[in-house]
Amino acid sequence: MVAAIGPQSSGIAHVISHVVNELHVPLLSFGATDPSLAALQYPYFVRTTQSDLFQMHAVADLVEYFGWREVIAIFVDDDYGRNGISILGDALATKRSKISYKAAFSPGAPKSDINELLVGVNLMESRVYIVHVNPDSGLTIFSIAKALGMMTSGYVWI
């Protein structure tokens, strides 16, 4: 084997990275953005996309530009989600902003759980939501948010 190509998700990239490190085979990933997939720990992991580190600093810049001081983070409760939100918290702190609430849901959560989560965050003061999930969960979140009337004026979704 010369190299392995894939995976599209950070969670699977963590698992495969352990194997390719033992085999001394490069792993090219087009979709794994988790910043904890670092070169020191995974020397054979080659990321072909930007790390969440860069993405979260860009989000923090946007939050600073609009003068928001508190945001609510909505994310999948797995390594990918937790690591991305951790980086976001650090990036926001450098801009004198913060995550006022971390709204996590389990991978593969049913729509009823996501609905309950969104109803809860809708009762909070901040209306700036930063969503860090995979595309399938994102579509579910936004369709439920629309049904709950959370896609109107006064709400911010990033």
Side-chain angles (χ1 to χ4, degrees):
M1 180 183 300
V2 176
I5 297 176
Q8 292 295 326
S9 73
S10 296
I12 296 171
H14 275 281
V15 174
I16 295 174
S17 288
H18 289 291
V19 175
V20 297
N21 279 353
E22 293 296 320
L23 298 173
H24 303 285
V25 173
L27 170 64
L28 271 58
S29 175
F30 299 101
T33 59
D34 187 340
S36 70
L37 288 164
L40 290 176
Q41 186 177 4
Y42 301 105
Y44 292 92
F45 177 76
V46 180
R47 183 189 329 268
T48 62
T49 188
Q50 292 289 345
S51 161
D52 283 340
L53 177 70
F54 298 103
Q55 295 176 29
M56 293 307 173
H57 278 276
V59 169
D61 287 343
L62 188 65
V63 169
E64 178 188 38
Y65 177 81
F66 284 101
W68 300 313
R69 293 287 166 232
E70 294 186 2
V71 303
I72 294 175
I74 300 172
F75 62 100
V76 177
D77 193 11
D78 60 9
D79 287 341
Y80 165 73
R82 288 187 300 271
N83 290 336
I85 295 305
S86 174
I87 295 295
L88 174 64
D90 294 344
L92 288 170
T94 67
K95 307 293 183 181
R96 297 187 192 145
S97 296
K98 68 178 184 175
I99 299 172
S100 62
Y101 184 74
K102 295 178 181 178
F105 61 92
S106 61
K111 286 184 178 185
S112 60
D113 288 359
I114 295 172
N115 187 76
E116 185 177 317
L117 182 128
L118 290 179
V119 167
V121 298
N122 197 25
L123 298 174
M124 297 179 180
E125 187 174 330
S126 179
R127 293 286 188 250
V128 179
Y129 304 109
I130 298 175
V131 181
H132 185 62
V133 298
N134 60 45
D136 292 337
S137 298
L139 291 173
T140 302
I141 287 168
F142 292 125
S143 70
I144 293 171
K146 184 174 181 175
L148 292 172
M150 296 173 70
M151 301 297 268
T152 59
S153 178
Y155 291 88
V156 175
W157 291 89
I158 302 172

